[in-house]
């Protein structure tokens, strides 16, 4: 999977907006100003940073060498995943969906309702 393929998947979510964080050379994907994905290169490899529960983040990191705590973000919740690594694309898509759902859960009910209309 490439950065552009993942970016396209992320941008298909309702309310998705992208911004560029120039200091980190990363594209942040947000819903109503809440980030749920950050697409970037790490050590010249395509990668995405996603939010997960601390328990899931720990499990992924223990099970896959291509998953590790994200730089610049809360390491208990945010993990960076190499897109060209051992994690199957289907699992990366699942993690994007879960991260998006977590971002939605932080939004006011009215905003969530507007996004589902």
């Amino acid at each position: 999977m490439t950065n552009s393929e993942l970016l396209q998947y992320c941008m298909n979510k309702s309310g998705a907006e992208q911004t560029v964080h120039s200091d980190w050379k990363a594209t942040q994907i947000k819903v109503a100003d809440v980030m749920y994905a950050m697409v970037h290169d790490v050590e010249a490899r395509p990668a995405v940073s996603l939010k997960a529960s601390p328990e899931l983040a720990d499990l992924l990191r223990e099970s896959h060498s291509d998953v590790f705590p994200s730089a610049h973000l809360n390491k208990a919740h945010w993990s960076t995943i190499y897109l060209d690594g051992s994690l199957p694309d289907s699992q990366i898509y699942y993690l994007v969906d879960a991260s998006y759902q977590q971002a939605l859960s932080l939004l006011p009910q009215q905003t969530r309702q507007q996004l589902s209309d």
Side-chain angles (χ1 to χ4, degrees):
M1 177 185 313
T2 66
N3 282 359
S4 67
E5 289 170 333
L6 184 67
L7 185 58
Q8 182 178 6
Y9 183 80
C10 291
M11 291 304 297
N12 282 330
K13 303 284 183 204
S14 180
E17 302 171 346
Q18 82 180 51
T19 60
V20 175
H21 194 298
S22 57
D23 291 345
W24 299 345
K25 297 178 183 158
T27 301
Q28 296 176 321
I29 313 303
K30 301 176 182 180
V31 58
D33 284 334
V34 177
M35 185 171 73
Y36 66 91
M38 186 166 68
V39 181
H40 51 117
D41 286 330
V42 176
E43 299 175 358
R45 292 177 67 187
V48 63
S49 296
L50 299 168
K51 189 173 185 181
S53 69
E55 297 80 18
L56 179 56
D58 286 342
L59 179 65
L60 289 168
R61 294 170 193 167
E62 290 171 8
S63 304
H64 301 278
S65 61
D66 291 324
V67 180
F68 52 94
S70 296
H72 312 297
L73 301 170
N74 181 328
K75 291 169 182 29
H77 295 273
W78 287 87
S79 293
T80 297
I81 303 161
Y82 286 125
L83 300 179
D84 61 356
S86 62
L87 216 58
D89 291 356
S90 60
Q91 193 163 10
I92 295 171
Y93 291 137
Y94 170 82
L95 293 169
V96 169
D97 294 344
S99 187
Y100 176 76
Q101 290 301 319
Q102 281 192 14
L104 286 179
S105 74
L106 298 173
L107 301 177
Q109 175 68 25
Q110 182 178 7
T111 304
R112 288 194 307 266
Q113 191 170 11
Q114 289 171 346
L115 289 170
S116 66
D117 291 342

